[in-house]
Amino acid sequence: MKELMIPIKTESKIPLYEQIYQYIREEIKGSRLQCDTRLPSTRALASFLQVSRSTVELAYAQLTAEGYIHSLPCKGYYVSDISLLYQLQTHTFPVEEKTVTKTEQFDIDFSLKGIDMDAFPYNSWRKVTREILSGDNEELFIGGATKGDLDFRETVSVYLRESRGVNCSPHQIIIGAGNEYLLMLLYQIFGLIFQSQKVNIVMENPTYIQAYKVFCGLGGNIIAVPVDGNGMSYEILELHKEAQAAYIMPSHQFPTGNVMPMKRRLELLKWANEKENRYIIEDDYDSEFRYKGKPIPALQGMNAADKVVYIGTFSKSVAPAIRVSYLVLPPKLMEIYEKKMSYYANTVPRLHQKVLESFIRQEYYARHLNRMRSLYKNKHDMMINLLKEQQMTYYGENVGLHLLVEVKNKKSEQQIIHEARNGGVKIYGLSQFAIAPLNTPSTVILGFGSMKEQEIEKGMNILKSVWK
Amino acid sequence: MKELMIPIKTESKIPLYEQIYQYIREEIKGSRLQCDTRLPSTRALASFLQVSRSTVELAYAQLTAEGYIHSLPCKGYYVSDISLLYQLQTHTFPVEEKTVTKTEQFDIDFSLKGIDMDAFPYNSWRKVTREILSGDNEELFIGGATKGDLDFRETVSVYLRESRGVNCSPHQIIIGAGNEYLLMLLYQIFGLIFQSQKVNIVMENPTYIQAYKVFCGLGGNIIAVPVDGNGMSYEILELHKEAQAAYIMPSHQFPTGNVMPMKRRLELLKWANEKENRYIIEDDYDSEFRYKGKPIPALQGMNAADKVVYIGTFSKSVAPAIRVSYLVLPPKLMEIYEKKMSYYANTVPRLHQKVLESFIRQEYYARHLNRMRSLYKNKHDMMINLLKEQQMTYYGENVGLHLLVEVKNKKSEQQIIHEARNGGVKIYGLSQFAIAPLNTPSTVILGFGSMKEQEIEKGMNILKSVWK
């Protein structure tokens, strides 16, 4: 038996038992202590190293638990065969050159995706996370309910009721990692209820293109219908007898920015009610940010909980990396989900659900929303003033994080975008959200969520020369 | 202008400005301060309350940012119209009776899902999370790469190379919130490459039923093939000319526990290589836990990175609530994903990716795996000993967290399960994983991952009387 000359540092921050554990482990990994070598008894090693016996026992227990040594009754501790153990070489991680995706760089980007992250309440978020981690929350690492944790769904249902007039119990809610994922689930529920892989879904043209791609990707038959300033109409729906569901954004149509008036909403509900299995999908993606006038409650809350599937997200209102969305299902659809699809484990980590729940319950969320609304309103008003100054025709105001500008200089949308980009300003064309040919004048979309005020001013000045 | 008699507590933990902010906010919310009321100047209020002017300024700034008050140039601060503000009633969250899903309760459950959570390294996990939260990591709240953060994918690629012989660059990896989600993506990639919503996928019978359900849910045409003790064979694949992909678990077939021998693996690769667009899906769901013999490297690493889609998860090896899985794609499939499907935002929160990355890089993961293997091996050996004592025919040993037992008492599988359940022991039948009629003797499956050793002993003793 070899002497273990373990160089112990009593003044080190590393506990004594850990030093002994690490030393012996490295000796074993380096084959200096070989398989079946007998180790000194805990008593002998403790006395030799002048440490307490329990310190050595702790080190041996650790080595045993990790498979480096084992004990034989009445014989002592022996080095194990470690060829099966995980020895991840933590030093070999490649310091590979980051391959930045080559995208054009613009000084100014009227992006439609960004939100204002300067105002993200990092400190509150950290505080809540720390509180939860230090609490007795070990169950958060065990698998949770497939629909999401009940406490969190309760919090979401109350929030939706109070802020959007959505009429739902927590049992109607499915939490998921983003809208696209929840739309994939929804499409499969439709597939089951309509007993077909090909579901006929009416969508406005132009529309939220991600949703369109998800439905297409799963085999959906998309019926693109034109919109007037109020969105999809009953008359147009009536032309498409095969339609099984209609996807709309009544609070703020993307990208046109239209708000659907009450009369139109009632007509669409009438359409849905005319047939047993007909549904409306209401995507309420950014109605948290309304700057003028009372918010119109969600369509779902208009006595339509049986007919309207409601979907929304925290990615816009909290932060893009908060991949938490919610799907509110009519009871009949939820029944199908529970019977046939509950094998899909929930996609949002429970810790993440808990943090967001606490963030909402402790009022941080309401305060954050109010602060953001105020910030966005300043940018929104600034945009409107600059557009008015330039006598531009704009629409989609009063809600959300983008505006549309109709450019009447006889240039094509393509040309306008191209000229703006040459000036270092990235803007977006309406036609990029078209799912069928569009018949509109040249229109560009300007997102202002992630822009700083100076950037808005600078960007608008550059655009002035482009669209004159 | 009303006097603001704000009851300030200088000894309170709540900062002074926050007390002023809260008081005025409540006055406004309670309509005691009404819209357009002028507030005292910061100087006047500071002097009245005997606090510094900057304290009042901070309170007013907070109220302004959240939309409760606004300032008019040269005039002062006024109460705003707050009818549009979010006022989430944090106290009205319903204390609803928790509806525990009514499932039968068993004293002992040889569950196939559970893992041993008593050994979860809560402290290391918390420590790593705190480190990351206190660091300068604010970018973690901004939307990240759709495939997952590059640093994390690098870490995963090194881990897979070292521990499983998987041959891949970080660029071939997609991170996702669970296997089902990644299989949904994969199915869509197949849909694009085969230009059909109906992909012909061969699966072993019995198989991992979740994967089967996902493929079916998306319209897949599943060809169920019988297995011998070595899994799917070339001869059987040859009978199904229409097959476009084969889903296998060569390291440890679920549920049969078979390990596919090298010869069979080579044959399957040969099959895949015979046609340009033919793929093998290798699900490597629990090969971290192997108790005897050298682990066989992944099929993907056998010069087959062009033909094998590799999928695995951290849910088994770390914790069920860690919804992080990885999909390793052949370059050609990745190209399709990047061209056509990168609109799917990543489903794993970046903070979560960062914590797991750090957990792996700081060696906590390797230590955890070794500890768990040792724990599971004890349970595994105990099960085997008890089965031997009872002279039962078992199979699927040496890997994973479950064993199969063939019961030769002429009772049906149903009957055996029923009798065990009457004795308070929940066990599972092989046929519950059948995707076509099975032609096997009565076989039950016993998971031991989440069981305590006393439970295993007690459970096995009860089963003894059932299957004699």
Side-chain angles (χ1 to χ4, degrees), chain B residues 225-249:
Chain B
V225 299
V227 288
D228 56 29
N230 297 328
M232 195 182 282
S233 72
Y234 179 85
E235 290 70 30
I236 282 180
L237 276 170
E238 270 299 277
L239 299 177
H240 301 280
K241 301 285 180 207
E242 74 279 27
Q244 294 166 311
Y247 173 92
I248 55 173
M249 295 160 276

PDB file of all heavy atoms in Angstrom, chain B residues 225-249:
ATOM      1  N   VAL B 225     -42.274  -3.033 -37.648  1.00  0.00           N
ATOM      2  CA  VAL B 225     -41.621  -4.301 -37.996  1.00  0.00           C
ATOM      3  C   VAL B 225     -41.257  -5.057 -36.718  1.00  0.00           C
ATOM      4  O   VAL B 225     -40.970  -4.457 -35.692  1.00  0.00           O
ATOM      5  CB  VAL B 225     -40.349  -4.083 -38.856  1.00  0.00           C
ATOM      6  CG1 VAL B 225     -40.685  -3.391 -40.158  1.00  0.00           C
ATOM      7  CG2 VAL B 225     -39.299  -3.296 -38.098  1.00  0.00           C
ATOM      8  N   PRO B 226     -41.327  -6.384 -36.787  1.00  0.00           N
ATOM      9  CA  PRO B 226     -40.998  -7.180 -35.603  1.00  0.00           C
ATOM     10  C   PRO B 226     -39.503  -7.139 -35.333  1.00  0.00           C
ATOM     11  O   PRO B 226     -38.705  -6.883 -36.229  1.00  0.00           O
ATOM     12  CB  PRO B 226     -41.432  -8.589 -35.991  1.00  0.00           C
ATOM     13  CG  PRO B 226     -41.413  -8.610 -37.479  1.00  0.00           C
ATOM     14  CD  PRO B 226     -41.684  -7.220 -37.941  1.00  0.00           C
ATOM     15  N   VAL B 227     -39.129  -7.348 -34.084  1.00  0.00           N
ATOM     16  CA  VAL B 227     -37.710  -7.391 -33.728  1.00  0.00           C
ATOM     17  C   VAL B 227     -37.353  -8.769 -33.198  1.00  0.00           C
ATOM     18  O   VAL B 227     -38.164  -9.452 -32.597  1.00  0.00           O
ATOM     19  CB  VAL B 227     -37.366  -6.354 -32.631  1.00  0.00           C
ATOM     20  CG1 VAL B 227     -37.402  -4.960 -33.187  1.00  0.00           C
ATOM     21  CG2 VAL B 227     -38.289  -6.483 -31.438  1.00  0.00           C
ATOM     22  N   ASP B 228     -36.126  -9.191 -33.467  1.00  0.00           N
ATOM     23  CA  ASP B 228     -35.581 -10.325 -32.721  1.00  0.00           C
ATOM     24  C   ASP B 228     -34.776  -9.715 -31.572  1.00  0.00           C
ATOM     25  O   ASP B 228     -34.856  -8.505 -31.328  1.00  0.00           O
ATOM     26  CB  ASP B 228     -34.721 -11.211 -33.634  1.00  0.00           C
ATOM     27  CG  ASP B 228     -33.603 -10.437 -34.310  1.00  0.00           C
ATOM     28  OD1 ASP B 228     -33.133  -9.445 -33.723  1.00  0.00           O
ATOM     29  OD2 ASP B 228     -33.204 -10.811 -35.433  1.00  0.00           O
ATOM     30  N   GLY B 229     -34.001 -10.491 -30.866  1.00  0.00           N
ATOM     31  CA  GLY B 229     -33.258  -9.982 -29.716  1.00  0.00           C
ATOM     32  C   GLY B 229     -32.250  -8.895 -30.062  1.00  0.00           C
ATOM     33  O   GLY B 229     -31.715  -8.242 -29.173  1.00  0.00           O
ATOM     34  N   ASN B 230     -32.012  -8.679 -31.360  1.00  0.00           N
ATOM     35  CA  ASN B 230     -31.026  -7.679 -31.762  1.00  0.00           C
ATOM     36  C   ASN B 230     -31.631  -6.434 -32.410  1.00  0.00           C
ATOM     37  O   ASN B 230     -30.913  -5.586 -32.920  1.00  0.00           O
ATOM     38  CB  ASN B 230     -30.023  -8.293 -32.737  1.00  0.00           C
ATOM     39  CG  ASN B 230     -29.233  -9.408 -32.084  1.00  0.00           C
ATOM     40  OD1 ASN B 230     -28.971  -9.354 -30.890  1.00  0.00           O
ATOM     41  ND2 ASN B 230     -28.876 -10.422 -32.857  1.00  0.00           N
ATOM     42  N   GLY B 231     -32.938  -6.364 -32.427  1.00  0.00           N
ATOM     43  CA  GLY B 231     -33.592  -5.195 -33.017  1.00  0.00           C
ATOM     44  C   GLY B 231     -34.003  -5.437 -34.456  1.00  0.00           C
ATOM     45  O   GLY B 231     -34.177  -6.584 -34.900  1.00  0.00           O
ATOM     46  N   MET B 232     -34.154  -4.371 -35.177  1.00  0.00           N
ATOM     47  CA  MET B 232     -34.595  -4.380 -36.571  1.00  0.00           C
ATOM     48  C   MET B 232     -33.526  -5.037 -37.450  1.00  0.00           C
ATOM     49  O   MET B 232     -32.343  -4.908 -37.173  1.00  0.00           O
ATOM     50  CB  MET B 232     -34.739  -2.919 -36.967  1.00  0.00           C
ATOM     51  CG  MET B 232     -35.488  -2.623 -38.211  1.00  0.00           C
ATOM     52  SD  MET B 232     -35.462  -0.810 -38.496  1.00  0.00           S
ATOM     53  CE  MET B 232     -36.704  -0.209 -37.364  1.00  0.00           C
ATOM     54  N   SER B 233     -33.947  -5.726 -38.505  1.00  0.00           N
ATOM     55  CA  SER B 233     -32.924  -6.351 -39.356  1.00  0.00           C
ATOM     56  C   SER B 233     -33.002  -5.846 -40.795  1.00  0.00           C
ATOM     57  O   SER B 233     -34.037  -5.363 -41.258  1.00  0.00           O
ATOM     58  CB  SER B 233     -33.075  -7.870 -39.338  1.00  0.00           C
ATOM     59  OG  SER B 233     -34.224  -8.232 -40.075  1.00  0.00           O
ATOM     60  N   TYR B 234     -31.895  -5.996 -41.495  1.00  0.00           N
ATOM     61  CA  TYR B 234     -31.800  -5.590 -42.893  1.00  0.00           C
ATOM     62  C   TYR B 234     -32.837  -6.324 -43.730  1.00  0.00           C
ATOM     63  O   TYR B 234     -33.503  -5.732 -44.580  1.00  0.00           O
ATOM     64  CB  TYR B 234     -30.383  -5.897 -43.404  1.00  0.00           C
ATOM     65  CG  TYR B 234     -30.163  -5.544 -44.849  1.00  0.00           C
ATOM     66  CD1 TYR B 234     -29.811  -4.242 -45.195  1.00  0.00           C
ATOM     67  CD2 TYR B 234     -30.288  -6.494 -45.854  1.00  0.00           C
ATOM     68  CE1 TYR B 234     -29.602  -3.900 -46.521  1.00  0.00           C
ATOM     69  CE2 TYR B 234     -30.090  -6.165 -47.184  1.00  0.00           C
ATOM     70  CZ  TYR B 234     -29.741  -4.869 -47.521  1.00  0.00           C
ATOM     71  OH  TYR B 234     -29.541  -4.536 -48.835  1.00  0.00           O
ATOM     72  N   GLU B 235     -32.981  -7.626 -43.477  1.00  0.00           N
ATOM     73  CA  GLU B 235     -33.907  -8.447 -44.274  1.00  0.00           C
ATOM     74  C   GLU B 235     -35.327  -7.889 -44.180  1.00  0.00           C
ATOM     75  O   GLU B 235     -36.054  -7.835 -45.163  1.00  0.00           O
ATOM     76  CB  GLU B 235     -33.885  -9.905 -43.800  1.00  0.00           C
ATOM     77  CG  GLU B 235     -32.609 -10.651 -44.115  1.00  0.00           C
ATOM     78  CD  GLU B 235     -31.406 -10.181 -43.294  1.00  0.00           C
ATOM     79  OE1 GLU B 235     -31.611  -9.719 -42.145  1.00  0.00           O
ATOM     80  OE2 GLU B 235     -30.272 -10.228 -43.810  1.00  0.00           O
ATOM     81  N   ILE B 236     -35.697  -7.487 -42.986  1.00  0.00           N
ATOM     82  CA  ILE B 236     -37.063  -6.979 -42.812  1.00  0.00           C
ATOM     83  C   ILE B 236     -37.208  -5.610 -43.463  1.00  0.00           C
ATOM     84  O   ILE B 236     -38.222  -5.314 -44.110  1.00  0.00           O
ATOM     85  CB  ILE B 236     -37.428  -6.984 -41.320  1.00  0.00           C
ATOM     86  CG1 ILE B 236     -37.769  -8.427 -40.936  1.00  0.00           C
ATOM     87  CG2 ILE B 236     -38.589  -6.052 -41.033  1.00  0.00           C
ATOM     88  CD1 ILE B 236     -38.151  -8.621 -39.510  1.00  0.00           C
ATOM     89  N   LEU B 237     -36.180  -4.788 -43.319  1.00  0.00           N
ATOM     90  CA  LEU B 237     -36.218  -3.473 -43.976  1.00  0.00           C
ATOM     91  C   LEU B 237     -36.364  -3.633 -45.488  1.00  0.00           C
ATOM     92  O   LEU B 237     -37.088  -2.883 -46.142  1.00  0.00           O
ATOM     93  CB  LEU B 237     -34.940  -2.683 -43.678  1.00  0.00           C
ATOM     94  CG  LEU B 237     -34.925  -1.907 -42.364  1.00  0.00           C
ATOM     95  CD1 LEU B 237     -33.534  -1.381 -42.089  1.00  0.00           C
ATOM     96  CD2 LEU B 237     -35.929  -0.765 -42.404  1.00  0.00           C
ATOM     97  N   GLU B 238     -35.677  -4.629 -46.021  1.00  0.00           N
ATOM     98  CA  GLU B 238     -35.700  -4.875 -47.463  1.00  0.00           C
ATOM     99  C   GLU B 238     -37.099  -5.178 -47.978  1.00  0.00           C
ATOM    100  O   GLU B 238     -37.412  -4.956 -49.148  1.00  0.00           O
ATOM    101  CB  GLU B 238     -34.761  -6.046 -47.803  1.00  0.00           C
ATOM    102  CG  GLU B 238     -33.352  -5.608 -48.099  1.00  0.00           C
ATOM    103  CD  GLU B 238     -33.321  -4.677 -49.305  1.00  0.00           C
ATOM    104  OE1 GLU B 238     -33.308  -5.186 -50.442  1.00  0.00           O
ATOM    105  OE2 GLU B 238     -33.325  -3.442 -49.117  1.00  0.00           O
ATOM    106  N   LEU B 239     -37.957  -5.696 -47.097  1.00  0.00           N
ATOM    107  CA  LEU B 239     -39.333  -5.999 -47.507  1.00  0.00           C
ATOM    108  C   LEU B 239     -40.162  -4.728 -47.708  1.00  0.00           C
ATOM    109  O   LEU B 239     -41.222  -4.769 -48.301  1.00  0.00           O
ATOM    110  CB  LEU B 239     -40.023  -6.868 -46.448  1.00  0.00           C
ATOM    111  CG  LEU B 239     -39.391  -8.239 -46.167  1.00  0.00           C
ATOM    112  CD1 LEU B 239     -40.144  -8.931 -45.037  1.00  0.00           C
ATOM    113  CD2 LEU B 239     -39.415  -9.089 -47.442  1.00  0.00           C
ATOM    114  N   HIS B 240     -39.672  -3.624 -47.174  1.00  0.00           N
ATOM    115  CA  HIS B 240     -40.462  -2.388 -47.217  1.00  0.00           C
ATOM    116  C   HIS B 240     -39.749  -1.348 -48.057  1.00  0.00           C
ATOM    117  O   HIS B 240     -39.097  -0.447 -47.539  1.00  0.00           O
ATOM    118  CB  HIS B 240     -40.720  -1.881 -45.796  1.00  0.00           C
ATOM    119  CG  HIS B 240     -41.447  -2.860 -44.946  1.00  0.00           C
ATOM    120  ND1 HIS B 240     -42.805  -3.043 -45.006  1.00  0.00           N
ATOM    121  CD2 HIS B 240     -40.998  -3.768 -44.056  1.00  0.00           C
ATOM    122  CE1 HIS B 240     -43.177  -3.987 -44.169  1.00  0.00           C
ATOM    123  NE2 HIS B 240     -42.095  -4.455 -43.571  1.00  0.00           N
ATOM    124  N   LYS B 241     -39.890  -1.508 -49.356  1.00  0.00           N
ATOM    125  CA  LYS B 241     -39.171  -0.631 -50.298  1.00  0.00           C
ATOM    126  C   LYS B 241     -39.555   0.830 -50.119  1.00  0.00           C
ATOM    127  O   LYS B 241     -38.803   1.733 -50.479  1.00  0.00           O
ATOM    128  CB  LYS B 241     -39.471  -1.062 -51.745  1.00  0.00           C
ATOM    129  CG  LYS B 241     -39.075  -2.487 -52.067  1.00  0.00           C
ATOM    130  CD  LYS B 241     -37.575  -2.634 -52.230  1.00  0.00           C
ATOM    131  CE  LYS B 241     -37.207  -4.085 -52.561  1.00  0.00           C
ATOM    132  NZ  LYS B 241     -35.844  -4.426 -52.128  1.00  0.00           N
ATOM    133  N   GLU B 242     -40.766   1.071 -49.604  1.00  0.00           N
ATOM    134  CA  GLU B 242     -41.237   2.450 -49.484  1.00  0.00           C
ATOM    135  C   GLU B 242     -40.603   3.196 -48.301  1.00  0.00           C
ATOM    136  O   GLU B 242     -40.742   4.413 -48.177  1.00  0.00           O
ATOM    137  CB  GLU B 242     -42.769   2.472 -49.369  1.00  0.00           C
ATOM    138  CG  GLU B 242     -43.353   2.035 -48.031  1.00  0.00           C
ATOM    139  CD  GLU B 242     -43.446   0.518 -47.852  1.00  0.00           C
ATOM    140  OE1 GLU B 242     -42.646  -0.224 -48.469  1.00  0.00           O
ATOM    141  OE2 GLU B 242     -44.316   0.084 -47.075  1.00  0.00           O
ATOM    142  N   ALA B 243     -39.891   2.469 -47.439  1.00  0.00           N
ATOM    143  CA  ALA B 243     -39.349   3.089 -46.222  1.00  0.00           C
ATOM    144  C   ALA B 243     -38.389   4.228 -46.540  1.00  0.00           C
ATOM    145  O   ALA B 243     -37.500   4.088 -47.378  1.00  0.00           O
ATOM    146  CB  ALA B 243     -38.652   2.036 -45.373  1.00  0.00           C
ATOM    147  N   GLN B 244     -38.570   5.346 -45.874  1.00  0.00           N
ATOM    148  CA  GLN B 244     -37.693   6.504 -46.091  1.00  0.00           C
ATOM    149  C   GLN B 244     -36.779   6.758 -44.893  1.00  0.00           C
ATOM    150  O   GLN B 244     -35.722   7.348 -45.022  1.00  0.00           O
ATOM    151  CB  GLN B 244     -38.552   7.743 -46.375  1.00  0.00           C
ATOM    152  CG  GLN B 244     -39.315   7.596 -47.698  1.00  0.00           C
ATOM    153  CD  GLN B 244     -40.421   8.604 -47.863  1.00  0.00           C
ATOM    154  OE1 GLN B 244     -41.237   8.799 -46.965  1.00  0.00           O
ATOM    155  NE2 GLN B 244     -40.468   9.242 -49.024  1.00  0.00           N
ATOM    156  N   ALA B 245     -37.223   6.306 -43.736  1.00  0.00           N
ATOM    157  CA  ALA B 245     -36.406   6.472 -42.535  1.00  0.00           C
ATOM    158  C   ALA B 245     -36.706   5.333 -41.579  1.00  0.00           C
ATOM    159  O   ALA B 245     -37.795   4.750 -41.605  1.00  0.00           O
ATOM    160  CB  ALA B 245     -36.706   7.811 -41.869  1.00  0.00           C
ATOM    161  N   ALA B 246     -35.710   4.986 -40.762  1.00  0.00           N
ATOM    162  CA  ALA B 246     -35.900   3.949 -39.748  1.00  0.00           C
ATOM    163  C   ALA B 246     -35.537   4.534 -38.391  1.00  0.00           C
ATOM    164  O   ALA B 246     -34.486   5.159 -38.243  1.00  0.00           O
ATOM    165  CB  ALA B 246     -35.022   2.741 -40.058  1.00  0.00           C
ATOM    166  N   TYR B 247     -36.427   4.346 -37.427  1.00  0.00           N
ATOM    167  CA  TYR B 247     -36.201   4.878 -36.079  1.00  0.00           C
ATOM    168  C   TYR B 247     -35.747   3.739 -35.172  1.00  0.00           C
ATOM    169  O   TYR B 247     -36.482   2.764 -35.000  1.00  0.00           O
ATOM    170  CB  TYR B 247     -37.512   5.478 -35.573  1.00  0.00           C
ATOM    171  CG  TYR B 247     -37.508   5.916 -34.130  1.00  0.00           C
ATOM    172  CD1 TYR B 247     -37.170   7.212 -33.768  1.00  0.00           C
ATOM    173  CD2 TYR B 247     -37.859   5.027 -33.113  1.00  0.00           C
ATOM    174  CE1 TYR B 247     -37.172   7.619 -32.449  1.00  0.00           C
ATOM    175  CE2 TYR B 247     -37.866   5.423 -31.782  1.00  0.00           C
ATOM    176  CZ  TYR B 247     -37.516   6.719 -31.458  1.00  0.00           C
ATOM    177  OH  TYR B 247     -37.517   7.114 -30.140  1.00  0.00           O
ATOM    178  N   ILE B 248     -34.540   3.855 -34.645  1.00  0.00           N
ATOM    179  CA  ILE B 248     -34.008   2.783 -33.781  1.00  0.00           C
ATOM    180  C   ILE B 248     -33.319   3.343 -32.535  1.00  0.00           C
ATOM    181  O   ILE B 248     -32.992   4.531 -32.479  1.00  0.00           O
ATOM    182  CB  ILE B 248     -32.994   1.889 -34.543  1.00  0.00           C
ATOM    183  CG1 ILE B 248     -31.872   2.745 -35.143  1.00  0.00           C
ATOM    184  CG2 ILE B 248     -33.690   1.075 -35.614  1.00  0.00           C
ATOM    185  CD1 ILE B 248     -30.754   1.933 -35.771  1.00  0.00           C
ATOM    186  N   MET B 249     -33.116   2.456 -31.562  1.00  0.00           N
ATOM    187  CA  MET B 249     -32.406   2.822 -30.338  1.00  0.00           C
ATOM    188  C   MET B 249     -31.323   1.777 -30.098  1.00  0.00           C
ATOM    189  O   MET B 249     -31.455   0.923 -29.224  1.00  0.00           O
ATOM    190  CB  MET B 249     -33.402   2.849 -29.164  1.00  0.00           C
ATOM    191  CG  MET B 249     -34.458   3.938 -29.297  1.00  0.00           C
ATOM    192  SD  MET B 249     -35.944   3.650 -28.275  1.00  0.00           S
ATOM    193  CE  MET B 249     -36.884   2.558 -29.371  1.00  0.00           C
TER     194      MET B 249
END
